[in-house]
Amino acid sequence: MTKLPRIYKRLIQFTALGFIVAAGLLSIIGTGSNTSLDTTTACIGKSQHIRTGSWAMLDGRCSDFTNLATDSDYIDYYWRLSSKPASSTAILSGFTLLKHFVADVDGEYVVELTASTGNNRGSKATTRITAYTGNAQPVAEAGAYQEVAIGDTVQLNGTATDADDNSLNYSWSFQSGSATSTLSSTTSASTTFIANSDTDYTLDLIANDGAVDSQINSVLIRSKTSNFSLPVAVAGADQYVTTGSQVMLNGLNSYSAYNRPLSYSWRILYRPTYSNASLSDTTAAQPSFIADQPGAYLIRLRVNDGFRDSSRSLDDVYEDRLVVIAGSNQLPIANGGVDQNVNTGTTVTLNGSGTDPEMATLTYTWTLIKQPEGSVASLSSLDTQSTQLIPDRDGNYLVRLVVNDGTDDSAPDIVRISTSSLSGSTPLTLLTGLPYAPASTENATWIQVDTDDSNQVRLISSGDTSTGNFETALQAEYNDATTANFTSYTWSIEIGPINPVNDSSSPIFVLKNSNNIYYKFMLDFTVLGNMTVQIDSLQAWRCGTNPADCP
């Protein structure tokens, strides 16, 4: 299944426009040229690596004002999908502050944001989103900026995410030119070291998914003694509220490195069109406002410790921003299950699930959005909680699940099924005791092979309807006093004797099922006097996709 990066874990969901918002996008990937006339600095966030078919979620909250902006200015956001793969039909949707699109094909998408105020020319920033069907590059996050004193134990809490949900390995190191110390572990997500000098430390974190490294992500640890520490604003988590409700803000978790008392300065940087929302008190620790229109509100908090204000920094730690989404219904969340690696021709079962904040009853929609060239595989059901797929070609299959709560669709969850051909032969276990013959009132014995990958074969009589997860391969019927007919049933006989077959022989059949998987059967039989055929011995093998692999 698709796994979103850590920065998307705290999802604030607004369903009137079908959007999910991510909390905390930080670094500028690229900016257009700025001049002294610009009243804003555009910021669009980190590059992303996502699974093809899923949402790319974009957040302009890190855009900022320059010194030319006035206290009455609001930021205007203009988005453009400046490039995309040739066959893509992706379009941007969502709020002015927050956008998303479906990365519908593999490749790179480039999104451009222009941030401005009123009629003033704004600055530009771009970010790149790469969509994968195959293995995606993991994304590492080394953690938050810290300020420490000599002798302090520095706790580093790294994280990493992978669009393929692979298990990840970690590698920590001090940058060249940085002060160094001894790490408690260089291969754990979390590690510690002792700050043994009055200097700054910069550490790099790399994550690996077993196939490819992430890009390096770094964290700066600065000395309290050699740096004048600014107070840190903490505005609280993003919120989802009902339109028209009162939104309570809380800045009491803000702090000063020197434990000085703080004063507070709140500002609404963006509000929906036609909104007249205003803060009850811009200097209170816990102000409020009325979310009078549906949409996104961007709130900024700065604090002062009596000496200096908190301020914007590259690490985004001195001032804080939260997004409040006003709407009437929260999106449900879809879970299509884990990715699977299977042999071509194997029946794959997908057990979907979904959750809804309002506990609404959910409906399910499955779509096979990508499959290898030449594949004619299809899903067994499109609107039930579970579905099945039998991959008929080697390669990757992408299956999308969307759930609906009666009002809105969820974000899509993408499950990847990777398939490869079988090779060699696998003996099949016979589940039926020998010899085996039909009842006296019946005239056929059927040989059946499992369809759930348990490598089993069994014999049943023509009147047995309890087939379970088995598929009939051969039907043995009486022909005359000493011979019998063996007829393929839904399979094709690739190699085998011409019927009828004498009971003094041991016939061998190589059959191919509808998924191009070969099986070999070698048996001995007796024609009984009651016009039925008795199976005396049976050996069977699964030979994969190559009949030459049969023993």
Side-chain angles (χ1 to χ4, degrees):
M1 65 173 289
T2 310
K3 185 172 183 179
L4 297 179
R6 183 180 66 85
I7 56 176
Y8 293 134
K9 288 295 186 182
R10 293 180 296 159
L11 298 180
I12 303 300
Q13 302 168 325
F14 175 67
T15 60
L17 295 177
F19 185 76
I20 293 184
V21 108
L25 297 178
L26 307 179
S27 62
I28 299 174
I29 300 302
T31 61
S33 59
N34 291 321
T35 71
S36 59
L37 298 178
D38 291 340
T39 55
T40 60
T41 301
C43 174
I44 196 173
K46 294 181 180 179
S47 60
Q48 300 178 42
H49 299 266
I50 64 174
R51 176 156 296 173
T52 300
S54 58
W55 280 356
M57 293 176 283
L58 306 162
D59 188 336
R61 81 173 70 193
C62 53
S63 302
D64 206 355
F65 291 110
T66 67
N67 291 333
L68 294 178
T70 67
D71 290 342
S72 61
D73 280 331
Y74 290 88
I75 298 177
D76 294 323
Y77 302 86
Y78 302 94
W79 300 83
R80 185 169 72 95
L81 188 57
S82 58
S83 69
K84 59 186 178 182
S87 58
S88 172
T89 59
I91 57 173
L92 289 168
S93 302
F95 300 116
T96 302
L97 169 64
L98 311 161
K99 292 290 184 181
H100 75 282
F101 67 89
V102 175
D104 54 345
V105 299
D106 292 2
E108 183 179 83
Y109 302 75
V110 179
V111 180
E112 179 182 274
L113 169 64
T114 301
S116 64
T117 56
N119 295 321
N120 293 306
R121 183 174 63 84
S123 64
K124 294 182 180 180
T126 59
T127 191
R128 289 171 171 78
I129 295 93
T130 305
Y132 298 85
T133 297
N135 186 56
Q137 184 183 32
V139 178
E141 294 185 47
Y145 167 92
Q146 299 181 53
E147 294 179 1
V148 299
I150 293 178
D152 284 353
T153 297
V154 182
Q155 176 70 52
L156 300 172
N157 295 311
T159 60
T161 55
D162 184 72
D164 309 305
D165 203 17
N166 292 321
S167 297
L168 299 175
N169 301 310
Y170 298 86
S171 176
W172 287 96
S173 62
F174 289 95
Q175 276 190 11
S176 175
S178 165
T180 61
S181 184
T182 302
L183 291 166
S184 61
S185 173
T186 61
T187 58
S188 299
S190 296
T191 187
T192 62
F193 70 91
I194 304 298
N196 51 24
S197 64
D198 189 18
T199 51
D200 296 342
Y201 300 84
T202 305
L203 295 98
D204 293 336
L205 176 63
I206 296 174
N208 183 282
D209 64 359
V212 63
D213 284 342
S214 69
Q215 296 182 7
I216 295 173
N217 190 255
S218 303
V219 61
L220 176 63
I221 311 297
R222 305 194 71 178
S223 166
K224 284 183 179 179
T225 307
S226 60
N227 294 283
F228 188 89
S229 299
L230 298 175
V232 175
V234 180
D238 293 343
Q239 298 184 42
Y240 179 93
V241 300
T242 303
T243 302
S245 64
Q246 183 179 29
V247 179
M248 304 301 299
L249 305 174
N250 186 355
L252 289 176
N253 288 323
S254 303
Y255 61 92
S256 163
Y258 305 103
N259 296 318
R260 297 183 178 125
L262 299 175
S263 59
Y264 301 85
S265 175
W266 296 87
R267 180 175 177 180
I268 299 177
L269 300 181
Y270 178 81
R271 60 188 181 184
T273 304
Y274 306 121
S275 172
N276 294 311
S278 61
L279 293 163
S280 60
D281 187 339
T282 60
T283 62
Q286 296 175 288
S288 64
F289 70 93
I290 302 298
D292 58 343
Q293 294 292 330
Y297 299 76
L298 178 59
I299 315 298
R300 183 187 71 191
L301 171 63
R302 288 179 176 170
V303 294
N304 184 285
D305 64 359
F307 291 87
R308 296 183 68 180
D309 284 334
S310 61
S311 63
R312 194 75 172 164
S313 77
L314 291 177
D315 299 285
D316 203 29
V317 295
Y318 298 131
E319 77 170 30
D320 199 15
R321 300 179 180 200
L322 75 150
V323 172
V324 176
I325 303 296
S328 58
N329 179 59
Q330 296 189 63
L331 292 180
I333 300 172
N335 182 355
V338 299
D339 293 345
Q340 299 188 43
N341 296 298
V342 301
N343 291 319
T344 303
T346 301
T347 300
V348 177
T349 300
L350 298 172
N351 294 310
S353 63
T355 57
D356 183 71
E358 289 93 8
M359 304 299 291
T361 300
L362 300 177
T363 57
Y364 296 80
T365 300
W366 296 92
T367 308
L368 181 59
I369 62 173
K370 188 168 185 177
Q371 59 201 111
E373 183 177 357
S375 170
V376 294
S378 61
L379 295 169
S380 63
S381 175
L382 302 180
D383 59 1
T384 55
Q385 187 168 348
S386 297
T387 190
Q388 289 186 327
L389 174 73
I390 303 177
D392 57 351
R393 293 290 185 272
D394 292 359
N396 290 316
Y397 299 74
L398 295 184
V399 182
R400 177 177 63 204
L401 174 63
V402 173
V403 298
N404 185 284
D405 62 2
T407 302
D408 293 290
D409 285 340
S410 68
D413 188 39
I414 310 298
V415 181
R416 187 181 70 221
I417 301 166
S418 300
T419 66
S420 59
S421 295
L422 297 168
S423 61
S425 62
T426 301
L428 303 185
T429 301
L430 180 61
L431 299 181
T432 307
L434 294 175
Y436 181 82
S440 59
T441 58
E442 298 173 333
N443 60 4
T445 298
W446 291 355
I447 300 174
Q448 290 199 317
V449 180
D450 71 275
T451 59
D452 61 0
D453 244 9
S454 56
N455 296 325
Q456 297 172 337
V457 62
R458 74 177 184 179
L459 305 172
I460 66 170
S461 67
S462 61
D464 189 345
T465 58
S466 303
T467 56
N469 289 321
F470 284 78
E471 182 177 356
T472 300
L474 286 172
Q475 181 176 347
E477 295 181 300
Y478 167 83
N479 185 59
D480 59 32
T482 58
T483 62
N485 289 319
F486 286 86
T487 306
S488 174
Y489 185 82
T490 73
W491 297 39
S492 62
I493 298 179
E494 302 296 306
I495 302 172
I498 299 174
N499 284 328
V501 181
N502 192 282
D503 68 355
S504 63
S505 63
S506 296
I508 296 174
F509 299 85
V510 175
L511 291 89
K512 182 177 69 175
N513 68 14
S514 58
N515 297 313
N516 299 314
I517 304 299
Y518 290 87
Y519 290 79
K520 179 178 179 179
F521 301 91
M522 184 169 67
L523 62 143
D524 186 45
F525 70 95
T526 300
V527 176
L528 301 179
N530 60 357
M531 298 185 67
T532 58
V533 175
Q534 172 180 289
I535 303 297
D536 299 312
S537 68
L538 172 65
Q539 290 180 281
W541 299 264
R542 185 182 64 185
C543 311
T545 56
N546 184 2
D549 289 337
C550 291

